[in-house]
Amino acid sequence: MKLDKIIYTLLACAVTATSCKKSFLDEQPSTAVTVTQSIQTPNDLADAVNGMYNTMKNTMLFGRDIPVLGDLLADNTYVNQSNSGRYLNDNNYTYAASTSAEASDIFSQGYYSILQANRVIYEGRKLGTSPDVSQLVGEAYAARALIYLELVNWFGTPYTVNPSAPGVPLVTVPSYVTGFSAKPTRATVSAVYTKIISDLDSAYALMPTGSTPLHAINSDYIAKYAAKAIEARAYLYEGDYANARDAALLVVQNGSYSLATTQSAFTGFWTSPTATTTKLEKIFELNQNASNNLGNTGLDAIFSQAGYGDIQATTDLYNAYTTTDFRRTLIIDGKRAGAQAYIINKFPNYSNTDKDETPVIRYAEVILTLAESYARLGDEANAKIYLNQLAKLRDPSFAGYTSTGDQLKTDILNERRKELAFEGLRFFDFTRLNLPIVRPAQTQGYASYPLVPITDYRRILPIPQSERDANPNVTQNPGY
C-alpha cells in the first residue's frame, strides 16, 4: 500500500482483498479470508483479528515509526552522522505536510488498521455473545482505541492543552456499510478521547478473563486487563489522574502481572523473542515471529549495528542510569563508524530468525502511571510505594525515593524516561505536560534543533497533504 493512502481510499480496500494490494491476513496462523462481509464463523473472526494485528505491527505504525519518533523527537535518541538516510527530517524537525513520510505513514496505516478493527466489530457482533466472540470483538475495540490514541496525540493538540482543538476524523463503521464517498471532518480532541474511553470500556466489559476455547491468550493479544492498562495511559494523557489511578489499580490488583525481581530475569525478559503467558513484565506486544516479521525494516534493525544501526541513545540518557541499574545493560558503550556511541540493545534479536516482539504496553508503565497519578492527586505516600517498587528492583543498590512535591513528580518522570526508553513514550510526556523539550547535543549527532519550545507548531505532526487533497473537509494543523 502506498505511503500516502488517504482515508477514503483506505476504506475502499474493504471491497475486495486485492483492490488495494494489501495482504492483511498473514498473521499467525497464516490464513486468508475474503474481505467483504466474509466473517461468518468465530474461526473467521479469529483470522480477521490476526489480520488486524498484522496491520498494526507494520513498519509504518507500531513496528517502527511510532516508537522511533517517540524518542527521536524528544531527548532520548538521535540519528548518527553515519546513517542510511532514515528519519533525518524528523531528527532535525524539518518535516512538512507534503514531504513527511513518517507523518503520512502513521496516518494512513493507522486508518488502515482501524478499518480492520471496524470490520471485526461490525461483523463480530452478528455472531452472538460466546466467550470466543466476546473476546475477539473486545480485542478489536481495544485495538481501535489504542490506534486512535496514537493518532490524536500525533496529529492533535494535547488534551491537557486544548481539548476543543481539532483532533482526527472518527471512522467507526466499515465503508461497505456507509458507502465509500464519505469525507469526514476532524472530530475534536475531546470527542476522540471520549470514543477511546468508550471503546476501552466496551472491550473490558466484553472480554472474559483468560483464554477461551478457540482463542488462547498470550502477550501477543490484547487481554481483558490489557484494555485497562491502555485506558490508564489514555486517562493519564487526558490529565484525568483519578481515573488513571483507578484503571491502573485494577490492572495491579487483578491482572496478575509481575516485574522481574533479578538481573537474570530482567535480562531474560528482553533477550527472549517469544510471546509468553507468564505475565512477567509483558502486557501487550506485537508478534515478529520467524515466519512473519519485518526483516530489516523493524525496530530492532534501526538500532542494531548488524542492521541499519542509525539511531543511538544520547549521552544524557545513558548518564541517567547508575552503574548498578539493570536497565543500563540495555545500552552498549560502543562505536559507530569508528567513533564512540551508545548502542541501543533493548531489542537484541535482529540477527536471529525469530525477531524481537514489539512492545506496546508493559506492566512497568502501569506501575509508573499509578505512581504519577497518586502524586498528582496529592497522595505522595502511595506514589512513593509504587515508584520505589519499580526503581529498587531495577537498581538493587538504590535506597528509594524520599522526595516530595514537584521534585517527586520530576523523579517519576525521570523513572519513566529510564524505564520506557526506546518504546516511543518520552515525547508524549513532554507534550501532555506542556513542557519544553531540550534535546542534548551529540558529538556524532545533529544539533540543528536543540530546543523545542511549547509554542512550536512542530510538536504536532502535519496532516498529510495527500489526505487534504482528497478530502478538503480535513483541515491542516497550524504552521504547515
Side-chain angles (χ1 to χ4, degrees), residues 115-129:
L115 162 64
Q116 313 314 321
N118 286 345
R119 189 170 140 265
V120 169
I121 294 167
Y122 185 83
E123 299 296 338
R125 287 184 298 191
K126 300 177 184 179
L127 300 180
T129 57

mmCIF file with all atom_site columns, all heavy atoms in Angstrom, residues 115-129:
data_model
loop_
_atom_site.group_PDB
_atom_site.id
_atom_site.type_symbol
_atom_site.label_atom_id
_atom_site.label_alt_id
_atom_site.label_comp_id
_atom_site.label_asym_id
_atom_site.label_entity_id
_atom_site.label_seq_id
_atom_site.pdbx_PDB_ins_code
_atom_site.Cartn_x
_atom_site.Cartn_y
_atom_site.Cartn_z
_atom_site.occupancy
_atom_site.B_iso_or_equiv
_atom_site.pdbx_formal_charge
_atom_site.auth_seq_id
_atom_site.auth_comp_id
_atom_site.auth_asym_id
_atom_site.auth_atom_id
_atom_site.pdbx_PDB_model_num
ATOM 1   N N   . LEU A 1 115 ? -9.707  0.335   9.962  1.00 0.00 ? 115 LEU A N   1
ATOM 2   C CA  . LEU A 1 115 ? -10.617 -0.349  9.046  1.00 0.00 ? 115 LEU A CA  1
ATOM 3   C C   . LEU A 1 115 ? -10.785 -1.812  9.441  1.00 0.00 ? 115 LEU A C   1
ATOM 4   O O   . LEU A 1 115 ? -11.911 -2.341  9.466  1.00 0.00 ? 115 LEU A O   1
ATOM 5   C CB  . LEU A 1 115 ? -10.066 -0.251  7.621  1.00 0.00 ? 115 LEU A CB  1
ATOM 6   C CG  . LEU A 1 115 ? -10.618 -1.231  6.563  1.00 0.00 ? 115 LEU A CG  1
ATOM 7   C CD1 . LEU A 1 115 ? -12.091 -0.987  6.326  1.00 0.00 ? 115 LEU A CD1 1
ATOM 8   C CD2 . LEU A 1 115 ? -9.834  -1.118  5.268  1.00 0.00 ? 115 LEU A CD2 1
ATOM 9   N N   . GLN A 1 116 ? -9.671  -2.482  9.760  1.00 0.00 ? 116 GLN A N   1
ATOM 10  C CA  . GLN A 1 116 ? -9.761  -3.899  10.137 1.00 0.00 ? 116 GLN A CA  1
ATOM 11  C C   . GLN A 1 116 ? -10.519 -4.066  11.456 1.00 0.00 ? 116 GLN A C   1
ATOM 12  O O   . GLN A 1 116 ? -11.328 -4.979  11.607 1.00 0.00 ? 116 GLN A O   1
ATOM 13  C CB  . GLN A 1 116 ? -8.355  -4.501  10.251 1.00 0.00 ? 116 GLN A CB  1
ATOM 14  C CG  . GLN A 1 116 ? -7.420  -4.190  9.098  1.00 0.00 ? 116 GLN A CG  1
ATOM 15  C CD  . GLN A 1 116 ? -8.042  -4.372  7.736  1.00 0.00 ? 116 GLN A CD  1
ATOM 16  O OE1 . GLN A 1 116 ? -8.810  -5.314  7.515  1.00 0.00 ? 116 GLN A OE1 1
ATOM 17  N NE2 . GLN A 1 116 ? -7.733  -3.473  6.824  1.00 0.00 ? 116 GLN A NE2 1
ATOM 18  N N   . ALA A 1 117 ? -10.247 -3.189  12.411 1.00 0.00 ? 117 ALA A N   1
ATOM 19  C CA  . ALA A 1 117 ? -10.958 -3.273  13.688 1.00 0.00 ? 117 ALA A CA  1
ATOM 20  C C   . ALA A 1 117 ? -12.452 -3.022  13.500 1.00 0.00 ? 117 ALA A C   1
ATOM 21  O O   . ALA A 1 117 ? -13.295 -3.718  14.094 1.00 0.00 ? 117 ALA A O   1
ATOM 22  C CB  . ALA A 1 117 ? -10.371 -2.274  14.679 1.00 0.00 ? 117 ALA A CB  1
ATOM 23  N N   . ASN A 1 118 ? -12.807 -2.042  12.674 1.00 0.00 ? 118 ASN A N   1
ATOM 24  C CA  . ASN A 1 118 ? -14.216 -1.748  12.420 1.00 0.00 ? 118 ASN A CA  1
ATOM 25  C C   . ASN A 1 118 ? -14.932 -2.960  11.844 1.00 0.00 ? 118 ASN A C   1
ATOM 26  O O   . ASN A 1 118 ? -16.083 -3.254  12.194 1.00 0.00 ? 118 ASN A O   1
ATOM 27  C CB  . ASN A 1 118 ? -14.340 -0.573  11.451 1.00 0.00 ? 118 ASN A CB  1
ATOM 28  C CG  . ASN A 1 118 ? -14.024 0.763   12.089 1.00 0.00 ? 118 ASN A CG  1
ATOM 29  O OD1 . ASN A 1 118 ? -13.967 0.881   13.308 1.00 0.00 ? 118 ASN A OD1 1
ATOM 30  N ND2 . ASN A 1 118 ? -13.804 1.776   11.271 1.00 0.00 ? 118 ASN A ND2 1
ATOM 31  N N   . ARG A 1 119 ? -14.265 -3.634  10.946 1.00 0.00 ? 119 ARG A N   1
ATOM 32  C CA  . ARG A 1 119 ? -14.870 -4.792  10.304 1.00 0.00 ? 119 ARG A CA  1
ATOM 33  C C   . ARG A 1 119 ? -15.089 -5.931  11.302 1.00 0.00 ? 119 ARG A C   1
ATOM 34  O O   . ARG A 1 119 ? -16.132 -6.594  11.311 1.00 0.00 ? 119 ARG A O   1
ATOM 35  C CB  . ARG A 1 119 ? -13.964 -5.236  9.151  1.00 0.00 ? 119 ARG A CB  1
ATOM 36  C CG  . ARG A 1 119 ? -14.563 -6.290  8.263  1.00 0.00 ? 119 ARG A CG  1
ATOM 37  C CD  . ARG A 1 119 ? -13.688 -6.467  7.018  1.00 0.00 ? 119 ARG A CD  1
ATOM 38  N NE  . ARG A 1 119 ? -13.618 -7.871  6.694  1.00 0.00 ? 119 ARG A NE  1
ATOM 39  C CZ  . ARG A 1 119 ? -12.659 -8.691  7.062  1.00 0.00 ? 119 ARG A CZ  1
ATOM 40  N NH1 . ARG A 1 119 ? -11.667 -8.230  7.791  1.00 0.00 ? 119 ARG A NH1 1
ATOM 41  N NH2 . ARG A 1 119 ? -12.685 -9.953  6.724  1.00 0.00 ? 119 ARG A NH2 1
ATOM 42  N N   . VAL A 1 120 ? -14.115 -6.170  12.183 1.00 0.00 ? 120 VAL A N   1
ATOM 43  C CA  . VAL A 1 120 ? -14.251 -7.204  13.203 1.00 0.00 ? 120 VAL A CA  1
ATOM 44  C C   . VAL A 1 120 ? -15.414 -6.874  14.138 1.00 0.00 ? 120 VAL A C   1
ATOM 45  O O   . VAL A 1 120 ? -16.237 -7.739  14.470 1.00 0.00 ? 120 VAL A O   1
ATOM 46  C CB  . VAL A 1 120 ? -12.936 -7.344  14.004 1.00 0.00 ? 120 VAL A CB  1
ATOM 47  C CG1 . VAL A 1 120 ? -13.143 -8.219  15.239 1.00 0.00 ? 120 VAL A CG1 1
ATOM 48  C CG2 . VAL A 1 120 ? -11.836 -7.927  13.119 1.00 0.00 ? 120 VAL A CG2 1
ATOM 49  N N   . ILE A 1 121 ? -15.508 -5.620  14.561 1.00 0.00 ? 121 ILE A N   1
ATOM 50  C CA  . ILE A 1 121 ? -16.583 -5.224  15.480 1.00 0.00 ? 121 ILE A CA  1
ATOM 51  C C   . ILE A 1 121 ? -17.946 -5.369  14.819 1.00 0.00 ? 121 ILE A C   1
ATOM 52  O O   . ILE A 1 121 ? -18.877 -5.958  15.393 1.00 0.00 ? 121 ILE A O   1
ATOM 53  C CB  . ILE A 1 121 ? -16.356 -3.777  15.963 1.00 0.00 ? 121 ILE A CB  1
ATOM 54  C CG1 . ILE A 1 121 ? -15.087 -3.694  16.824 1.00 0.00 ? 121 ILE A CG1 1
ATOM 55  C CG2 . ILE A 1 121 ? -17.565 -3.260  16.747 1.00 0.00 ? 121 ILE A CG2 1
ATOM 56  C CD1 . ILE A 1 121 ? -14.603 -2.278  17.085 1.00 0.00 ? 121 ILE A CD1 1
ATOM 57  N N   . TYR A 1 122 ? -18.070 -4.861  13.597 1.00 0.00 ? 122 TYR A N   1
ATOM 58  C CA  . TYR A 1 122 ? -19.355 -4.863  12.913 1.00 0.00 ? 122 TYR A CA  1
ATOM 59  C C   . TYR A 1 122 ? -19.836 -6.285  12.623 1.00 0.00 ? 122 TYR A C   1
ATOM 60  O O   . TYR A 1 122 ? -20.992 -6.635  12.899 1.00 0.00 ? 122 TYR A O   1
ATOM 61  C CB  . TYR A 1 122 ? -19.252 -4.061  11.626 1.00 0.00 ? 122 TYR A CB  1
ATOM 62  C CG  . TYR A 1 122 ? -20.569 -3.911  10.895 1.00 0.00 ? 122 TYR A CG  1
ATOM 63  C CD1 . TYR A 1 122 ? -21.479 -2.926  11.257 1.00 0.00 ? 122 TYR A CD1 1
ATOM 64  C CD2 . TYR A 1 122 ? -20.908 -4.756  9.835  1.00 0.00 ? 122 TYR A CD2 1
ATOM 65  C CE1 . TYR A 1 122 ? -22.688 -2.784  10.600 1.00 0.00 ? 122 TYR A CE1 1
ATOM 66  C CE2 . TYR A 1 122 ? -22.112 -4.626  9.165  1.00 0.00 ? 122 TYR A CE2 1
ATOM 67  C CZ  . TYR A 1 122 ? -22.996 -3.638  9.549  1.00 0.00 ? 122 TYR A CZ  1
ATOM 68  O OH  . TYR A 1 122 ? -24.195 -3.508  8.883  1.00 0.00 ? 122 TYR A OH  1
ATOM 69  N N   . GLU A 1 123 ? -18.964 -7.095  12.058 1.00 0.00 ? 123 GLU A N   1
ATOM 70  C CA  . GLU A 1 123 ? -19.361 -8.456  11.702 1.00 0.00 ? 123 GLU A CA  1
ATOM 71  C C   . GLU A 1 123 ? -19.400 -9.362  12.922 1.00 0.00 ? 123 GLU A C   1
ATOM 72  O O   . GLU A 1 123 ? -20.244 -10.255 13.008 1.00 0.00 ? 123 GLU A O   1
ATOM 73  C CB  . GLU A 1 123 ? -18.403 -9.025  10.655 1.00 0.00 ? 123 GLU A CB  1
ATOM 74  C CG  . GLU A 1 123 ? -18.359 -8.268  9.335  1.00 0.00 ? 123 GLU A CG  1
ATOM 75  C CD  . GLU A 1 123 ? -19.683 -8.300  8.577  1.00 0.00 ? 123 GLU A CD  1
ATOM 76  O OE1 . GLU A 1 123 ? -20.505 -9.209  8.825  1.00 0.00 ? 123 GLU A OE1 1
ATOM 77  O OE2 . GLU A 1 123 ? -19.913 -7.405  7.739  1.00 0.00 ? 123 GLU A OE2 1
ATOM 78  N N   . GLY A 1 124 ? -18.502 -9.125  13.861 1.00 0.00 ? 124 GLY A N   1
ATOM 79  C CA  . GLY A 1 124 ? -18.452 -9.985  15.033 1.00 0.00 ? 124 GLY A CA  1
ATOM 80  C C   . GLY A 1 124 ? -19.693 -9.891  15.897 1.00 0.00 ? 124 GLY A C   1
ATOM 81  O O   . GLY A 1 124 ? -20.122 -10.886 16.493 1.00 0.00 ? 124 GLY A O   1
ATOM 82  N N   . ARG A 1 125 ? -20.283 -8.706  15.947 1.00 0.00 ? 125 ARG A N   1
ATOM 83  C CA  . ARG A 1 125 ? -21.482 -8.545  16.763 1.00 0.00 ? 125 ARG A CA  1
ATOM 84  C C   . ARG A 1 125 ? -22.672 -9.328  16.218 1.00 0.00 ? 125 ARG A C   1
ATOM 85  O O   . ARG A 1 125 ? -23.669 -9.522  16.927 1.00 0.00 ? 125 ARG A O   1
ATOM 86  C CB  . ARG A 1 125 ? -21.819 -7.065  16.893 1.00 0.00 ? 125 ARG A CB  1
ATOM 87  C CG  . ARG A 1 125 ? -20.851 -6.318  17.813 1.00 0.00 ? 125 ARG A CG  1
ATOM 88  C CD  . ARG A 1 125 ? -21.210 -4.873  18.028 1.00 0.00 ? 125 ARG A CD  1
ATOM 89  N NE  . ARG A 1 125 ? -21.197 -4.106  16.798 1.00 0.00 ? 125 ARG A NE  1
ATOM 90  C CZ  . ARG A 1 125 ? -21.275 -2.783  16.745 1.00 0.00 ? 125 ARG A CZ  1
ATOM 91  N NH1 . ARG A 1 125 ? -21.364 -2.088  17.868 1.00 0.00 ? 125 ARG A NH1 1
ATOM 92  N NH2 . ARG A 1 125 ? -21.254 -2.155  15.589 1.00 0.00 ? 125 ARG A NH2 1
ATOM 93  N N   . LYS A 1 126 ? -22.574 -9.800  14.987 1.00 0.00 ? 126 LYS A N   1
ATOM 94  C CA  . LYS A 1 126 ? -23.638 -10.618 14.406 1.00 0.00 ? 126 LYS A CA  1
ATOM 95  C C   . LYS A 1 126 ? -23.544 -12.076 14.849 1.00 0.00 ? 126 LYS A C   1
ATOM 96  O O   . LYS A 1 126 ? -24.466 -12.852 14.613 1.00 0.00 ? 126 LYS A O   1
ATOM 97  C CB  . LYS A 1 126 ? -23.562 -10.572 12.881 1.00 0.00 ? 126 LYS A CB  1
ATOM 98  C CG  . LYS A 1 126 ? -23.717 -9.195  12.268 1.00 0.00 ? 126 LYS A CG  1
ATOM 99  C CD  . LYS A 1 126 ? -23.545 -9.273  10.754 1.00 0.00 ? 126 LYS A CD  1
ATOM 100 C CE  . LYS A 1 126 ? -23.594 -7.906  10.092 1.00 0.00 ? 126 LYS A CE  1
ATOM 101 N NZ  . LYS A 1 126 ? -23.389 -8.001  8.620  1.00 0.00 ? 126 LYS A NZ  1
ATOM 102 N N   . LEU A 1 127 ? -22.421 -12.452 15.475 1.00 0.00 ? 127 LEU A N   1
ATOM 103 C CA  . LEU A 1 127 ? -22.158 -13.859 15.772 1.00 0.00 ? 127 LEU A CA  1
ATOM 104 C C   . LEU A 1 127 ? -22.524 -14.274 17.183 1.00 0.00 ? 127 LEU A C   1
ATOM 105 O O   . LEU A 1 127 ? -22.180 -15.367 17.618 1.00 0.00 ? 127 LEU A O   1
ATOM 106 C CB  . LEU A 1 127 ? -20.674 -14.166 15.524 1.00 0.00 ? 127 LEU A CB  1
ATOM 107 C CG  . LEU A 1 127 ? -20.165 -13.931 14.105 1.00 0.00 ? 127 LEU A CG  1
ATOM 108 C CD1 . LEU A 1 127 ? -18.686 -14.284 14.006 1.00 0.00 ? 127 LEU A CD1 1
ATOM 109 C CD2 . LEU A 1 127 ? -20.976 -14.731 13.090 1.00 0.00 ? 127 LEU A CD2 1
ATOM 110 N N   . GLY A 1 128 ? -23.209 -13.419 17.904 1.00 0.00 ? 128 GLY A N   1
ATOM 111 C CA  . GLY A 1 128 ? -23.645 -13.784 19.238 1.00 0.00 ? 128 GLY A CA  1
ATOM 112 C C   . GLY A 1 128 ? -22.684 -13.324 20.314 1.00 0.00 ? 128 GLY A C   1
ATOM 113 O O   . GLY A 1 128 ? -21.839 -12.453 20.105 1.00 0.00 ? 128 GLY A O   1
ATOM 114 N N   . THR A 1 129 ? -22.785 -13.945 21.480 1.00 0.00 ? 129 THR A N   1
ATOM 115 C CA  . THR A 1 129 ? -22.012 -13.492 22.651 1.00 0.00 ? 129 THR A CA  1
ATOM 116 C C   . THR A 1 129 ? -21.273 -14.643 23.317 1.00 0.00 ? 129 THR A C   1
ATOM 117 O O   . THR A 1 129 ? -21.144 -14.682 24.540 1.00 0.00 ? 129 THR A O   1
ATOM 118 C CB  . THR A 1 129 ? -22.936 -12.808 23.664 1.00 0.00 ? 129 THR A CB  1
ATOM 119 O OG1 . THR A 1 129 ? -23.978 -13.734 24.042 1.00 0.00 ? 129 THR A OG1 1
ATOM 120 C CG2 . THR A 1 129 ? -23.552 -11.548 23.095 1.00 0.00 ? 129 THR A CG2 1
#
